[in-house]
Amino acid sequence: MATPLYMLLGSEKFSHRTYSVLRRAGIKTVGDIIDYGNLSKIRMFGVGGYKEVYAYLKLLGIVVPWTAEEKR
């Protein structure tokens, strides 16, 4: 099994909008999400996308330095 950080993001894991915004920002793997840092800097990335990404990382067991509420 692949290390979660190297897992490619798939369109089935996120809504179409969130997936498209992440791809446009050059984010292709779970590790890219962590490396990017402040996702709120991504153009057109809203609260819904923020919550989706946070929930997905939590599901993978990855602890992130931000919470789903920080985007509000």
Side-chain angles (χ1 to χ4, degrees), residues 50-51 54 66-72:
Y50 204 79
K51 288 180 179 180
Y54 181 80
W66 35 266
T67 65
E69 282 72 40
E70 278 185 29
K71 179 63 178 166
R72 292 183 184 175

Side-chain angles (χ1 to χ4, degrees), residues 4-58:
L5 295 179
Y6 296 107
M7 288 175 53
L8 291 174
L9 300 180
S11 59
E12 69 279 353
K13 296 175 178 93
F14 301 106
S15 66
H16 179 73
R17 178 184 174 100
T18 299
Y19 179 72
S20 296
V21 170
L22 290 172
R23 293 294 292 193
R24 193 174 342 116
I27 296 173
K28 297 178 181 141
T29 66
V30 173
D32 291 341
I33 293 173
I34 304 301
D35 291 342
Y36 199 90
N38 187 358
L39 296 178
S40 64
K41 291 188 263 178
I42 300 173
R43 185 174 181 269
M44 303 298 290
F45 194 78
V47 175
Y50 204 79
K51 288 180 179 180
E52 282 182 61
V53 169
Y54 181 80
Y56 179 64
L57 293 177
K58 190 174 177 182

